[in-house]
Amino acid sequence: MTPPYELVRMWFTPKRLARFMRMVKVRPDGCWEWMGARWESGHGMYRFAGGPQRTHRLMFILYHQRDLPEGMRVRHWACDNPACCFYGHLIGATQGDNIHDIQLLSKAYEIGPELEALRGYRKHPYQGYFHDPGDNLGSRTKSVGKVTPPPFF
């Protein structure tokens, strides 16, 4: 269960907040990556008031100075890095919104390799065309010393 704002505010004394921030590595892309213990999902885990809590939820509540409503999730909208606890990368949303984001990201990851391959082909149109690793043409290429087209051309 996510703790209420008042408990988070009282818990994070300046000394505890400094100790918390010692476990954070600020990356060049702006993420505050949690370097301590993590859940299986990759989210940061912090021992808070006797029990484990997710670091991104604690930072979201502390920064926005309000409770996280029941059924609300904290999403990593700017970085898609579960270990990030930077309040600027986090937004509150429903589980449905979270699933929708996951679906969009999975489509982007599917399209990404295709676009990279297309960009690579435009730069070097014949590189990889006559010989790809694992297509058993390597022995012919090595014996001849140059790339030769397959026999069906």
Side-chain angles (χ1 to χ4, degrees):
M1 185 172 144
T2 304
Y5 167 68
E6 284 302 315
L7 180 61
V8 174
R9 185 179 62 80
M10 290 182 346
W11 174 265
F12 277 109
T13 63
K15 185 177 179 180
R16 282 185 175 149
L17 187 58
R19 189 177 335 141
F20 179 93
M21 292 306 292
R22 280 196 296 266
M23 297 300 294
V24 171
K25 176 184 173 188
V26 180
R27 295 185 350 186
D29 62 0
C31 284
W32 289 5
E33 188 157 3
W34 181 254
M35 303 308 290
R38 295 187 186 181
W39 297 87
E40 287 182 17
S41 62
H43 293 91
M45 182 191 304
Y46 182 71
R47 190 154 189 83
F48 175 85
Q53 286 291 329
R54 294 177 187 257
T55 56
H56 67 290
R57 288 184 187 168
L58 293 172
M59 287 295 101
F60 180 85
I61 292 168
L62 191 62
Y63 176 75
H64 290 285
Q65 300 179 359
R66 63 184 174 101
D67 293 342
L68 193 61
E70 191 67 34
M72 197 65 111
R73 304 284 189 256
V74 177
R75 294 178 14 212
H76 296 86
W77 71 274
C79 60
D80 193 36
N81 176 5
C84 179
C85 58
F86 176 50
Y87 53 83
H89 288 181
L90 307 171
I91 60 171
T94 64
Q95 181 64 17
D97 294 333
N98 201 22
I99 290 170
H100 180 70
D101 278 357
I102 291 169
Q103 290 170 343
L104 288 177
L105 279 172
S106 68
K107 286 183 182 181
Y109 286 129
E110 288 171 11
I111 293 171
E114 293 174 14
L115 289 176
E116 285 301 313
L118 183 60
R119 285 186 195 117
Y121 178 77
R122 286 182 181 150
K123 287 181 186 174
H124 310 284
Y126 297 105
Q127 180 179 345
Y129 184 73
F130 295 119
H131 170 66
D132 287 324
D135 66 0
N136 297 325
L137 294 177
S139 58
R140 185 173 19 170
T141 304
K142 289 176 187 169
S143 63
V144 176
K146 61 181 181 177
V147 176
T148 56
F152 52 83
F153 275 101

